[in-house]
Amino acid sequence: MDILVLIGRILFALLFLLSAFGHLTKTKAMAGYAASKGLPAAGLAVAGSGLLLLAGGLSLLLGVWADLGALLLAVFLVLSALTMHRFWQEAEPMARQQEMTHFQKDIALAGACLMLIAFFSYVGHDLGLTLTGPLFDIG
């Protein structure tokens, strides 16, 4: 089971680490997009979300308080869904559908992160191939 969890952590974390790389290397372009969505202090928000993605992704990848990493990613995903993918504000049907798809994807991934928090808390220090056990004990 340990190797399957490790492979799953790697595959899941890659999505967020690649996104973090984009946030931190293409901050200006991403800030322009965020500003077009009405996000205040867009440059700061993009840089901050990039750091959040990086911290959460590395935590999951390395197994260092992976439950905390999953929580950081869940926070990012919910905030992203609510601020960047407001499908209910789109008048044009195609744009509305695209934003709804992104919204639902972010919420579904946030749900997966919440399940990971529960999983890491339940398994605790018995899960191999991690550097630390969970930070939270919600057992």
Side-chain angles (χ1 to χ4, degrees), residues 8-19 53 56-62 73:
R9 282 190 358 243
I10 292 168
L11 294 174
F12 195 66
L14 275 176
L15 170 70
F16 300 105
L17 291 172
L18 292 172
S19 186
L53 287 163
L58 285 175
S59 173
L60 274 179
L61 178 70
L62 300 174
L73 295 174

Side-chain angles (χ1 to χ4, degrees), residues 50-126:
L51 292 174
L52 194 64
L53 287 163
L54 182 64
L58 285 175
S59 173
L60 274 179
L61 178 70
L62 300 174
V64 177
W65 292 336
D67 55 342
L68 175 61
L71 178 61
L72 294 175
L73 295 174
V75 167
F76 165 79
L77 288 160
V78 170
L79 290 175
S80 174
L82 294 172
T83 60
M84 300 302 294
H85 304 298
R86 296 176 293 211
F87 64 91
W88 56 90
Q89 293 180 337
E90 294 292 337
E92 198 273 312
M94 183 71 86
R96 184 181 186 93
Q97 184 60 50
Q98 287 177 335
E99 290 302 336
M100 184 184 297
T101 299
H102 288 296
F103 181 90
Q104 291 170 336
K105 170 206 40 110
D106 283 356
I107 295 300
L109 285 170
C113 288
L114 294 177
M115 287 188 287
L116 282 174
I117 294 167
F119 171 74
F120 288 121
S121 179
Y122 178 75
V123 173
H125 295 280
D126 293 334

